[in-house]
Amino acid sequence: KDSTFVNLAVMLPFQFEKNVEFLKRFKDEQDPQLYRSTRTFIELYQGIKMAVDSAVRAGLNVQLFVFDTKRDTAEIAKIIAQPVLKEMDMIIGPGYTNTFKYAAEILKETKIPLISPFSKKDVTKGYPNTIRVIPSDKSHYKVIGEYVANHYYNENIIIVMDTLGSDEAAKIIQREIMAKGMMFDSIKLNIPKITKGVYQPINSIKGDKKNIIILANNKEAFSSKLTAKLIPLSSSNEIILFGLDDLKKYKNIEVDYWDSLNIHVTSTSDIKYGYPL
């Protein structure tokens, strides 16, 4: 009714009582630590408070309600049963997949948006009022397919999967590229090649075209092997490598190698619009 006034609930497993007991174990000369995974949720809450402060400075009136779920479904049921929860415009949490689904089931008939802050699993399926902040790998693969179709549809597109892995991701990418490509070139259908293992993609490299190589998996050992084979070829062939942002975490691949392969990654958070790097 009043667009300048928002009730926001935060339901996260701060586990206050366990932290109090945990902190009592430390001696005066020791640096105190928080109980297990509590730090992640406290940092998230600090971020929420910063966002709320910014919104308030911009003229929005925000009422912030904070609940400790204690990582317990019984506690979540008690919180949701409180009359004040019916007045919420948005709920952030609970933090874990199982507790989020539990809360989503109870709140299924309401129109209150329930936000999953961390889960990469498909926790929103069947719950129309839920939102997942972090997209699934499937969503990443679709975006890669769409981008490649828009920019490199007529080039040599090679989708790479491990011999031991499922071909689901590879087929998602292939379908996305074909579907998008047909929208602007229905006469010429380019079917991206799905390859298995290290040697099939190497043998599919062409010297007269850009070689768009898409990793349809996030296994470090396999990616490292393939990269080692691609590096020597990059001096005489144009290679552009696509993959998930897991690639940034791989410790046994030098940054210079990624650079020579013109690496492109999708990311859930590391993005600065309008910033070339």
Side-chain angles (χ1 to χ4, degrees):
K1 294 177 182 178
D2 182 358
S3 61
T4 64
F5 187 88
V6 174
N7 284 328
L8 171 63
V10 177
M11 293 197 303
L12 293 172
F14 299 114
Q15 303 188 80
F16 177 76
E17 289 85 359
K18 285 187 177 180
N19 269 290
V20 170
E21 292 303 315
F22 191 65
L23 288 167
K24 287 178 181 176
R25 301 177 193 174
F26 290 87
K27 296 177 181 177
D28 291 342
E29 65 273 12
Q30 290 181 304
D31 291 328
Q33 301 290 325
L34 292 171
Y35 178 73
R36 294 182 186 175
S37 59
T38 305
R39 179 179 297 278
T40 301
F41 297 105
I42 287 179
E43 287 176 351
L44 172 62
Y45 176 56
Q46 288 172 328
I48 292 168
K49 285 185 71 177
M50 289 170 67
V52 167
D53 288 343
S54 298
V56 169
R57 283 197 298 271
L60 188 69
N61 191 346
V62 182
Q63 283 248 99
L64 187 61
F65 298 81
V66 185
F67 303 94
D68 183 1
T69 66
K70 303 177 183 178
R71 201 177 177 178
D72 183 7
T73 53
E75 186 66 26
I76 291 169
K78 285 182 190 176
I79 294 168
I80 294 174
Q82 294 183 35
V84 72
L85 253 288
K86 294 189 176 87
E87 305 299 321
M88 295 300 115
D89 295 295
M90 184 169 74
I91 300 170
I92 298 175
Y96 291 97
T97 298
N98 64 321
T99 54
F100 182 85
K101 283 189 172 183
Y102 179 81
E105 185 63 37
I106 299 174
L107 295 164
K108 194 174 183 178
E109 303 305 320
T110 73
K111 293 183 180 179
I112 305 171
L114 188 68
I115 316 296
S116 171
F118 293 127
S119 182
K120 286 180 73 175
K121 295 178 181 177
D122 195 0
V123 292
T124 61
K125 193 172 183 180
Y127 305 111
N129 60 315
T130 58
I131 300 166
R132 188 179 65 219
V133 175
I134 299 177
S136 63
D137 287 349
K138 183 178 178 179
S139 298
H140 279 264
Y141 288 130
K142 282 186 174 182
V143 170
I144 289 173
E146 181 180 354
Y147 183 89
V148 168
N150 288 334
H151 294 83
Y152 304 107
Y153 184 65
N154 292 315
E155 303 296 345
N156 183 32
I157 303 171
I158 305 165
I159 302 168
V160 186
M161 55 176 286
D162 192 355
T163 49
L164 303 174
S166 165
D167 64 352
E168 182 186 359
K171 286 182 177 178
I172 288 170
I173 298 166
Q174 186 186 53
R175 283 197 301 268
E176 195 67 27
I177 293 171
M178 290 170 64
K180 293 291 179 184
M182 287 175 69
M183 290 174 66
F184 54 78
D185 191 353
S186 58
I187 299 172
K188 185 180 178 183
L189 178 61
N190 184 9
I191 303 176
K193 187 174 184 180
I194 295 178
T195 62
K196 289 186 177 183
V198 173
Y199 295 101
Q200 281 188 15
I202 296 298
N203 296 332
S204 301
I205 297 287
K206 293 181 180 179
D208 59 340
K209 283 196 170 188
K210 291 180 181 177
N211 296 279
I212 314 303
I213 298 177
I214 306 171
L215 288 169
N217 72 84
N218 55 359
K219 294 179 181 176
E220 183 171 1
F222 174 73
S223 301
S224 302
K225 281 182 186 177
L226 179 62
T227 303
K229 299 289 183 184
L230 288 172
I231 294 300
L233 296 172
S234 64
S235 57
S236 55
N237 299 276
E238 187 170 356
I239 297 173
I240 303 175
L241 182 67
F242 285 82
L244 305 186
D245 58 357
D246 298 72
L247 294 173
K248 296 182 300 180
K249 302 172 188 173
Y250 297 169
K251 294 182 172 65
N252 57 347
I253 302 175
E254 296 293 332
V255 174
D256 289 347
Y257 288 174
W258 287 139
D259 196 35
S260 66
L261 295 175
N262 299 302
I263 185 172
H264 289 57
V265 298
T266 57
S267 177
T268 57
S269 57
D270 300 334
I271 183 165
K272 294 181 181 179
Y273 291 100
Y275 184 57
L277 291 178

